[in-house]
Amino acid sequence: MAELITVEDPDDPRLRDYTGLTDVELRRKREPAEGLFIAEGEKVIRRAGDAGYEMRSMLLSAKWVDAMRDVIDEAPAPVYVVGPELAERVTGYHVHRGALASMQRKPLPAPAGLLRTARRVVVMESVNDHTNIGAIFRSAAALGMDAVLLSPDCADPLYRRSVKVSMGAVFAVPYARLDTWPQDLRSVREAGFTLLALTPDDRARSLDEVAPHTLDRVALMLGAEGDGLSTRALDAADEWVRIPMSHGVDSLNVGAAAAVAFYAVATGRPTA
């Protein structure tokens, strides 16, 4: 059973995992280096635990102690109980959900291991917006994608904002990083995948025409918001695909586009 510890000093070193959560640059460096990530909110904390992530500690406001009692009873980690004002001083923002947990990261799997068992894979290039990362993972989990591969410069799926937006779906879909971009796309093709690059380019074929649900193994490539896939990534693809648009709209937010494309790729029902 975890120990409940009331903390009244925002500079208490035991709260170090939670300091400066709004400082993106600081957290991007600290969290991977120290092997931790932050889960925010009751559902996300529970999903992280269910996914096998080890808890380092919890930071709770007093009113959340009863709601999290079963988690507290099972956690072999300290639980720090603080007031709302102290939580805000430590984290840098008003903690609306009242519950935070510092979790231990797991080693990332090798891409080859994921490719051996997957049939529907997401490949992201330079997607560095944490909100988009979270939204894409949530759609990937909901719509049956098997794994995610990230280019070296993609944002961290375990950054607090990504985890929160995904509602913990980042724990449900296994992911790995490709070390060399775009050269490592060759290994994806060699594993039997057809590389489909999602782009609004007029030269791309529509998803319903390509019918990706009929292909044995598909790797759907997504680029960053605005810039899209790079020329090098497009050149490495087997086929360019697009979502048909109406009313003069030329493209969708990458999160929305991903959801539409995942539906076409994974469910066996092409877009209309």
Side-chain angles (χ1 to χ4, degrees), residues 214-234:
T214 64
L215 300 175
D216 182 46
R217 286 184 155 185
V218 175
L220 182 70
M221 300 163 58
L222 304 172
E225 187 75 24
D227 294 336
L229 289 165
S230 67
T231 300
R232 293 193 305 159
L234 290 169

Side-chain angles (χ1 to χ4, degrees), residues 135-157:
I136 291 168
F137 265 88
R138 187 173 185 181
S139 294
L143 297 170
M145 302 300 283
D146 299 318
V148 175
L149 298 177
L150 305 170
S151 70
D153 56 349
C154 276
D156 179 11

Side-chain angles (χ1 to χ4, degrees), residues 55-66:
M55 184 180 293
R56 294 161 58 108
S57 67
M58 269 199 291
L59 183 73
L60 300 179
S61 60
K63 69 177 183 179
W64 277 93
V65 170
D66 287 342

Side-chain angles (χ1 to χ4, degrees), residues 62-262:
K63 69 177 183 179
W64 277 93
V65 170
D66 287 342
M68 300 294 291
R69 175 56 64 183
D70 60 318
V71 178
I72 293 170
D73 289 345
E74 294 179 3
V79 177
Y80 303 118
V81 181
V82 301
E85 291 184 3
L86 188 140
E88 185 169 351
R89 289 179 65 185
V90 171
T91 63
Y93 72 104
H94 180 63
V95 185
H96 297 283
R97 297 177 185 269
L100 297 169
S102 175
M103 312 295 292
Q104 191 71 39
R105 289 175 183 251
K106 301 176 186 178
L108 286 183
L114 297 185
L115 293 173
R116 275 196 293 269
T117 57
R119 292 187 61 248
R120 298 292 185 258
V121 172
V122 186
V123 181
M124 292 193 233
E125 180 192 32
S126 304
V127 179
N128 48 35
D129 181 275
H130 294 104
T131 297
N132 285 334
I133 287 277
I136 291 168
F137 265 88
R138 187 173 185 181
S139 294
L143 297 170
M145 302 300 283
D146 299 318
V148 175
L149 298 177
L150 305 170
S151 70
D153 56 349
C154 276
D156 179 11
L158 294 184
Y159 180 71
R160 179 178 60 90
R161 181 65 179 166
S162 301
V163 174
K164 182 178 178 180
V165 170
S166 80
M167 290 298 294
V170 293
F171 312 135
V173 184
Y175 70 93
R177 285 195 184 270
L178 299 172
D179 293 328
T180 307
W181 185 267
Q183 290 85 348
D184 280 352
L185 290 174
R186 287 197 298 264
S187 64
V188 181
R189 182 181 290 108
E190 289 167 358
F193 288 83
T194 301
L195 294 168
L196 300 182
L198 190 65
T199 172
D201 193 292
D202 290 339
R203 293 170 291 177
R205 296 170 66 198
S206 66
L207 275 168
D208 48 328
E209 181 184 356
V210 174
H213 65 288
T214 64
L215 300 175
D216 182 46
R217 286 184 155 185
V218 175
L220 182 70
M221 300 163 58
L222 304 172
E225 187 75 24
D227 294 336
L229 289 165
S230 67
T231 300
R232 293 193 305 159
L234 290 169
D235 289 344
D238 295 306
E239 180 103 51
W240 295 6
V241 295
R242 62 180 175 82
I243 299 169
M245 299 284 168
S246 302
H247 301 292
V249 177
D250 61 355
S251 64
L252 297 173
N253 166 276
V254 66
V260 174
F262 295 164

